Amino acid sequence: MTDLNTLEAEVLAQVAAAGDLQALDAVRVAAVGKTGSISGLLKTLGAMSPDERKERGAAINALRDRVQSAITEKKAALEAAELDARLSRETLDLTLPGPYRRKGSVHPTMQVMDEMVSIFADMGFAVAEGPDIEDDFHNFTALNFPEKHPAREMHDTFFFEPKETGERMLLRTHTSPVQVRTMVSQKPPIRIIAPGRTYRCDSDATHTPMFHQVEGLVIDKGIHMGHLKWTLETFIARFFETDAVTTQFRPHHFPFTEPSAEMDVQCDRSGGEIKIGQGTSWLEILGCGMVHPNVLRACGIDPDEYQGFAFGMGVDRLGMLKYGMPDLRDMFASDSRWLAHYGFSGFAAPNAASGLS
Ligand code: DAH
């Protein structure tokens, strides 16, 4: 009669020696498979007396259970080892292109800014820049904001914690401080635009806490409102790529210009969308004016010798108008579906020769 202890020792040794899942399966079939050695033992029970069968049957079943659990354990160990081996064998290069590649695109705000720069560059303007974190002097004082002007208050301006000196830095609320920085560092004639980020504590369908402006500044002898009007009307016609744009200048107030105006473009608001160059409505798109003598003086320029004009416009808002985006907040939501829909090709940089958009 087969010695169960010997058989068990043999089978367990084979289980332990199995080097891979295939070898282990062969051991399993040979031991507990239909025609395996242990299954074969069970078949001999029929020829035994009931007492013998009871005792021997229990022993064989227990043997089979032990062998089976040894196989299960070994299988788990082999699988884990195989996974470890695969993980160390297969490295994943995240820089390789994946099966699905969304093509990158130029954000509409950047596209619109490039369009504006290209139009003004063509008119002889240089691009100037200034810091996003400004001081009170450049953002307000030098721009002739009275001491208690409401725009200095917390509800509009993001202030930083005061320094030890009590001075509070702030996130610039407009690109106009670049006018100041340019005038104190350059001699006239000056002809610059300053595209950049601006910040105000405001958020709804047409306001976001961070938005973009383009500032313009021209300083020279004999500059007057006629120059301002021609420059802005020419810009608008080129930007909207049509001569059919009608504009109007409305008197307004800005501390840093005198006289000041807002420029509106004629548009049609019927039918839920805004169409430029037709209709009976007006849409405000920028602020402008003749640079205030106090601002020239604050920047070391003699207002009796030099005059200038300035303007400031919202880039994102002009982009919404030109490309038909209904909600300003979508611009900064980083939704890749929105970017895929409204984005522009990186290879089609706007320029006066081949067109803007
Ligand atoms: N800084 C103004 C604003 O953010 C816009 C502006 C108006 C800029 C008139 C100018 C200007 O340079 O002359 O609302």
Side-chain angles (χ1 to χ4, degrees), residues 87 185 272:
L87 286 176
S185 63

Side-chain angles (χ1 to χ4, degrees), residues 179-222:
Q179 287 188 34
V180 178
R181 290 184 176 276
T182 307
M183 283 189 274
V184 295
S185 63
Q186 287 177 32
K187 294 244 163 305
I190 290 169
R191 208 187 289 175
I192 56 114
I193 54 162
R197 291 194 187 97
T198 47
Y199 307 85
R200 282 182 210 179
C201 195
D202 213 351
S203 183
D204 59 36
T206 52
H207 297 88
T208 47
M210 190 280 297
F211 55 105
H212 299 81
Q213 286 189 339
V214 165
E215 190 80 11
L217 175 71
V218 169
I219 306 285
D220 206 342
K221 291 179 177 162

Side-chain angles (χ1 to χ4, degrees), residues 34 96 133 182 232 257 295:
K34 256 193 203 146
L96 287 176
I133 298 175
T182 307
L232 292 176
T257 42
V295 176

Side-chain angles (χ1 to χ4, degrees), residues 173-176 179 200 213 215-216 254 256-257 287-289 310-312:
T173 56
H174 50 178
T175 41
S176 304
Q179 287 188 34
R200 282 182 210 179
Q213 286 189 339
E215 190 80 11
F254 298 106
F256 34 91
T257 42
C288 59
F311 56 87

Side-chain angles (χ1 to χ4, degrees), residues 74-88:
K74 178 74 178 179
K75 188 163 181 246
L78 283 174
E79 278 171 350
E82 189 171 306
L83 183 64
D84 281 349
R86 248 185 76 194
L87 286 176
S88 64

